[in-house]
């Protein structure tokens, strides 16, 4: 099967030092149905990598292909409809919650699926949220969930989630994880998520990309990685995280 998304020698230089890599060339792929956890200490470039995959940032080296077609042959907007990034601190567009839910569909010339939006909002514990409320007045956790609904409504092939439960209480986190899992199972989409919560990474993902020392150091089956990582850096990283709960950053 052709992988959905392929990374060909994708690399990024440090933003403030163009002599050094933020991460050295990465060659990997994301296939339909994949659940990939991107983990590693702060500052390794995990968010930057996901933003590159969503074409919100440019790589300094390498290229990507989607459905076997090189990124240069894709219109960025079309790409971003298929590979959708949900930021850790999402920006709400001006207007109400409803405007926010609808705008993304409008941008991509898709009909607004109100029943689906209602369903996702309910699953995410936002069933009682007034859609007429100004989106800018929402709490961080509410914004994060509205942004997730915006992404799900696009029905992307690859959903990129950046610490998508970081602002949520444990109950809401559970709902959000379940919602994403059910959505991905039904749509057969791939999910690539950044998490600092190793239990969440284990619960949600079958593959781990471990970034350390400016590279993708391990790309491994999640069960194997958590049981017996290959590198000393990963062993130390997991030791530091042992017993830590959600929201703990390194
Ligand atoms: N647009 C930017 N301009 C300048 N520096 C940036 C920019 N984006 C990221 N950086 C820097 O690049 C490095 C990697 O950032 P990135 O957010 O990708 O790492 P991360 O692994 O996701 O970290 P964390 O786990 O803390 O979210 C950091 O030092 C960050 O400050």
């Amino acid at each position: 099967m052709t992988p959905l998304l392929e990374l060909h020698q994708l690399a990024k230089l440090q933003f403030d030092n163009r002599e050094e890599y933020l991460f050295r060339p990465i060659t990997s792929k994301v296939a339909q149905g994949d659940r990939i956890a991107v983990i590693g200490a702060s500052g390794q470039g995990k968010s930057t990598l996901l933003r590159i995959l969503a074409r919100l940032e440019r790589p300094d080296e390498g290229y990507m292909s989607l459905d076997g077609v090189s990124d240069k042959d894709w219109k960025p907007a079309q790409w971003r409809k298929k590979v959708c990034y949900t930021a850790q601190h999402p920006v709400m567009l001006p207007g109400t919650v409803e405007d926010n839910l609808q705008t993304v569909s409008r941008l991509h010339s898709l009909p607004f699926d109100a029943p689906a939006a209602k369903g996702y909002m309910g699953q995410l514990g936002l069933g009682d949220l007034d859609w007429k409320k100004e989106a800018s007045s929402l709490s961080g956790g509410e914004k994060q969930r509205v942004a997730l609904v915006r992404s799900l409504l696009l029905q992307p092939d690859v959903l990129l989630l950046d610490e998508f439960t970081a602002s949520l209480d444990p109950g809401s986190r559970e709902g959000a994880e379940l919602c994403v899992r059910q959505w991905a199972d039904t749509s057969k989409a791939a999910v690539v998520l950044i998490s600092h919560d190793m239990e969440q990474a284990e619960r949600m993902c079958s593959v781990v990309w471990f970034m350390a020392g400016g590279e993708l150091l391990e790309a491994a089956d999640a069960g194997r990685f958590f049981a017996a990582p290959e590198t000393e850096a990963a062993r130390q990283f997991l030791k530091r995280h042992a017993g830590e709960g959600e929201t703990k950053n390194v």
Side-chain angles (χ1 to χ4, degrees):
M1 188 173 63
T2 311
L4 278 173
L5 180 61
E6 291 169 278
L7 293 63
H8 308 275
Q9 298 287 310
L10 213 55
K12 185 78 179 168
L13 301 172
Q14 293 279 3
F15 288 90
D16 55 359
N17 177 3
R18 310 300 288 166
E19 308 283 300
E20 300 263 340
Y21 280 110
L22 176 58
F23 53 80
R24 287 187 282 281
I26 295 175
T27 294
S28 195
K29 56 183 181 251
V30 180
Q32 201 180 35
D34 273 354
R35 307 275 183 278
I36 300 172
V38 184
I39 63 174
S42 276
Q44 289 297 319
K46 303 180 298 293
S47 298
T48 304
L49 174 63
L50 257 59
R51 290 174 55 77
I52 289 172
L53 298 184
R55 294 188 62 180
L56 297 167
E57 193 106 51
R58 282 175 193 278
D60 289 304
E61 294 173 17
Y63 70 100
M64 301 175 285
S65 38
L66 181 62
D67 294 337
V69 178
S70 171
D71 50 19
K72 66 177 174 1
D73 295 322
W74 279 88
K75 287 196 174 116
Q78 286 303 317
W79 181 287
R80 285 196 284 268
K81 184 183 164 306
K82 284 179 159 273
V83 183
C84 183
Y85 174 75
T86 309
Q88 183 185 354
H89 301 292
V91 176
M92 292 288 105
L93 303 163
T96 63
V97 170
E98 185 167 11
D99 293 332
N100 267 269
L101 295 173
Q102 287 193 0
T103 304
V104 179
S105 313
R106 257 203 312 269
L107 274 178
H108 291 277
S109 309
L110 291 171
F112 176 58
D113 188 344
K118 256 199 181 81
Y120 295 137
M121 293 286 275
Q123 273 185 294
L124 292 170
L126 295 179
D128 293 332
L129 186 69
D130 180 3
W131 286 21
K132 297 291 171 214
K133 205 170 170 175
E134 278 300 307
S136 58
S137 71
L138 299 178
S139 72
E142 287 170 337
K143 285 180 184 165
Q144 212 169 20
R145 283 175 284 172
V146 169
L148 178 57
V149 175
R150 277 192 318 212
S151 298
L152 296 179
L153 287 171
L154 277 177
Q155 296 290 338
D157 292 341
V158 184
L159 178 64
L160 307 170
L161 298 174
D162 199 340
E163 299 189 53
F164 77 116
T165 59
S167 309
L168 305 186
D169 61 74
S172 306
R173 184 195 65 213
E174 223 171 87
E177 287 184 3
L178 188 65
C179 176
V180 167
R181 258 197 256 136
Q182 286 179 344
W183 170 81
D185 287 345
T186 310
S187 64
K188 309 272 189 288
V191 178
V192 182
L193 65 88
I194 295 173
S195 184
H196 285 281
D197 176 355
M198 295 307 109
E199 289 170 14
Q200 177 177 69
E202 256 188 297
R203 272 194 304 275
M204 294 207 54
C205 296
S206 51
V207 171
V208 167
W209 289 358
F210 174 63
M211 294 179 74
E215 63 184 313
L216 177 59
L217 199 58
E218 294 197 38
D221 171 83
R224 212 269 301 130
F225 177 84
F226 287 113
E230 277 183 355
T231 58
E232 185 55 28
R235 277 190 285 280
Q236 291 301 326
F237 175 82
L238 290 180
K239 204 183 273 180
R240 282 201 301 278
H241 278 76
E244 279 188 4
E246 157 84 349
T247 72
K248 270 261 178 88
N249 276 15
V250 271

